[in-house]
Amino acid sequence: IVGKEPYPVTRKATELVRTLILKGIQKLRNLFKGNRSRSEIVATFLAVLELCKTNNLSIEDSDTIENPDVRLIKKPDTNDEVMSDGTN
């Protein structure tokens, strides 16, 4: 049985930062659109949490409580800053 590789959280964090730089403020649900596996969904969630923890990302109230706005506060200097605890 061949298993799928887990989706790296650092890769997803980098993708999220790029998306927010290019498109600006996004709805939280939009960040999960296009995810192709459960592993990528989990990586997206963990990347959002880690970017919030490092004060690179802000989750703000919007029109609907169920789908808040996500805004990039500052661009991380390196992937090391994104994943400060060494996990991926």
Side-chain angles (χ1 to χ4, degrees):
I1 298 173
V2 177
K4 290 186 176 184
E5 285 289 317
Y7 202 96
V9 177
T10 52
R11 179 175 157 197
K12 182 49 81 171
T14 302
E15 291 174 11
L16 291 177
V17 169
R18 278 193 201 126
T19 298
L20 292 168
I21 287 171
L22 293 173
K23 297 182 179 180
I25 297 172
Q26 294 288 299
K27 294 290 187 184
L28 182 62
R29 284 188 188 163
N30 290 349
L31 300 179
F32 291 90
K33 286 187 179 178
N35 288 352
R36 296 188 176 139
S37 67
R38 184 176 296 178
S39 176
E40 188 174 0
I41 292 168
V42 171
T44 301
F45 178 73
L46 292 175
V48 167
L49 290 179
E50 190 64 33
L51 288 166
C52 286
K53 177 182 164 189
T54 58
N55 295 318
N56 293 303
L57 199 84
S58 172
I59 298 178
E60 304 167 343
D61 290 337
S62 65
D63 300 341
T64 62
I65 296 172
E66 299 156 355
N67 196 12
D69 291 330
V70 178
R71 181 173 62 92
L72 187 66
I73 297 173
K74 66 175 183 151
K75 183 179 174 185
D77 295 331
T78 64
N79 281 345
D80 295 335
E81 185 179 326
V82 173
M83 302 305 295
S84 57
D85 63 351
T87 61
N88 60 359

